[in-house]
Amino acid sequence: EDRRIYIGLGESFDLYIGRRFSQDVCIFYSDDAGLTWSDPIILDGGNLIDRKPIQIAVAELRDRSLMAVWRYNTDIDRNIYYQLSSDTGETWTAPQAIPGIIAQISSDSTLDDYNLVIDKIGAVHLFAVGQPDLESKENASLYDVVYRQGVWVPPQRIYFNDRMRPEWPKAVIGP
């Protein structure tokens, strides 16, 4: 069975000189092993004036629906959001905050990323650096947040260091 290839990326400019102007996040897919690609599927986070989505991760679920995870580029809202699409990105559910985790301060995560993988039983694992709530004084930690049968399980902390922050989590499911 052939599977689609998906790419998620953020559209922004002036990233490396400290004036990040995010526009949106988008997804592309290919049904022919990368020979041709879809038009961009734009997720604009509600098209709000004061915040734009960044740090997208995307995965195809076992039922062939899509999940996209992202956060806003500002500390006005530090939730990590997810959206689902059952029609290859033509329509999406409204953004919903993932419970039990918030993103780290935006200035601490300008180049950070999220990672989504599907395990052998079909559970989605989100690997993200964050904190349990706004009152947390600890450095951000690496969490595994699992989405199973339509419900997010409370985050499990994988890694914490009181002097440094983890960054750029990447995960792979083996055979």
Side-chain angles (χ1 to χ4, degrees):
E1 168 184 325
D2 289 335
R3 303 285 294 199
R4 281 196 171 115
I5 300 171
Y6 292 95
I7 298 174
L9 62 90
E11 293 187 298
S12 62
F13 55 94
D14 286 345
L15 173 65
Y16 291 106
I17 60 172
R19 294 187 316 225
R20 179 182 209 138
F21 295 103
S22 299
Q23 181 63 36
D24 54 44
V25 292
C26 60
I27 300 165
F28 298 87
Y29 67 87
S30 173
D31 285 328
D32 57 12
L35 295 174
T36 61
W37 291 91
S38 70
D39 290 334
I41 300 165
I42 306 292
L43 296 171
D44 64 12
N47 203 22
L48 304 171
I49 300 295
D50 62 347
R51 64 195 92 163
K52 300 295 181 183
I54 59 172
Q55 295 173 229
I56 189 172
V58 64
E60 183 180 79
L61 308 184
R62 288 275 168 98
D63 65 2
R64 300 203 47 115
S65 62
L66 290 177
M67 174 183 280
V69 172
W70 49 267
R71 69 162 293 178
Y72 285 116
N73 64 332
T74 176
D75 293 333
I76 293 170
D77 183 345
R78 289 177 48 198
N79 287 303
I80 300 172
Y81 288 92
Y82 77 101
Q83 291 181 266
L84 301 169
S85 173
S86 59
D87 56 12
T88 318
E90 287 185 41
T91 61
W92 291 87
T93 59
Q96 294 183 24
I98 297 171
I101 187 171
I102 60 167
Q104 59 185 321
I105 296 169
S106 60
S107 62
D108 289 343
S109 66
T110 57
L111 296 177
D112 202 4
D113 203 2
Y114 299 134
N115 196 217
L116 287 175
V117 295
I118 313 295
D119 68 19
K120 66 182 177 181
I121 63 169
V124 179
H125 292 260
L126 165 64
F127 294 96
V129 176
Q131 297 170 270
D133 55 52
L134 290 171
E135 287 75 41
S136 179
K137 301 294 185 217
E138 291 183 343
N139 245 352
S141 301
L142 175 62
Y143 287 93
D144 177 10
V145 194
V146 178
Y147 182 81
R148 185 179 300 124
Q149 298 177 342
V151 176
W152 288 99
V153 177
Q156 177 182 0
R157 186 162 80 170
I158 298 172
Y159 176 79
F160 170 77
N161 184 317
D162 62 356
R163 293 185 318 264
M164 299 187 312
R165 284 185 302 277
E167 293 179 317
W168 307 306
K170 299 295 175 217
V172 175
I173 300 290

